[in-house]
Amino acid sequence: AGSKGKKPYHPKKDKFSCVASAALVALLDMEESSEPMNSTNGNSFPMEDLIQNINRLIDTRSNASLNQTAEQYMDPDNLDPGWGQVKKLCATNANTDLDGPFIKERKKKGACPSGVVFELLEAGREMAKKLRDLAKKGPAEPGPL
């Protein structure tokens, strides 16, 4: 199974091991610290900025960084698993048991080079706050099992 004496992987404090968690917290951080583009229903952020902020929050040891350009992620044939997590956060049916969707993707020509902006919805905001608090505490101690 595993190597004896080898500790299990835990992301570093304030970092995440998956894109979905990092995306929610990135949007929350962006809401709280920058000047968003005002949209009709809330605050929107360019896809390029979201990708950059996700990568800032990903633990490098997780090998989950988004390494492609926004244009490449917009290609419908792109099957990047990390970007797929962001798209799932936008889907209503994929998150019904968790009170999703968590983020909204909008087309907004002229807003940024990609013409795509993202907005954190209330369910996503609540989840992002919980995730950020857990990340600040660092890894949990292993249990008895």
Side-chain angles (χ1 to χ4, degrees), residues 38-83:
N38 289 323
S39 68
T40 53
N41 298 323
N43 298 321
S44 301
F45 300 93
M47 180 179 185
E48 294 83 354
D49 292 353
L50 177 59
I51 291 169
Q52 197 171 33
N53 281 286
I54 288 171
N55 285 335
R56 179 182 53 81
L57 291 170
I58 291 284
D59 187 327
T60 54
R61 298 173 300 154
S62 70
N63 202 23
S65 297
L66 298 175
N67 298 317
Q68 299 178 39
T69 64
E71 186 177 89
Q72 289 171 305
Y73 289 123
M74 289 170 45
D75 182 346
D77 295 328
N78 187 323
L79 298 176
D80 182 273
W83 191 249

Side-chain angles (χ1 to χ4, degrees), residues 127-145:
M127 182 68 74
K129 288 176 183 176
K130 291 174 189 174
L131 289 166
R132 186 169 61 186
D133 288 344
L134 288 170
K136 284 181 180 189
K137 292 177 183 175
E141 291 298 318
L145 302 176

Side-chain angles (χ1 to χ4, degrees), residues 74-125:
M74 289 170 45
D75 182 346
D77 295 328
N78 187 323
L79 298 176
D80 182 273
W83 191 249
Q85 292 178 36
V86 175
K87 299 298 274 183
K88 278 281 193 207
L89 292 171
C90 299
T92 308
N93 61 346
N95 300 303
T96 51
D97 58 334
L98 296 173
D99 298 323
F102 298 103
I103 61 178
K104 178 106 177 147
E105 178 181 357
R106 297 182 188 279
K107 303 254 186 263
K108 201 169 186 182
K109 286 186 177 183
C112 55
S114 66
V116 177
V117 295
F118 288 87
E119 176 184 325
L120 190 61
L121 301 176
E122 191 55 40
R125 192 170 293 106

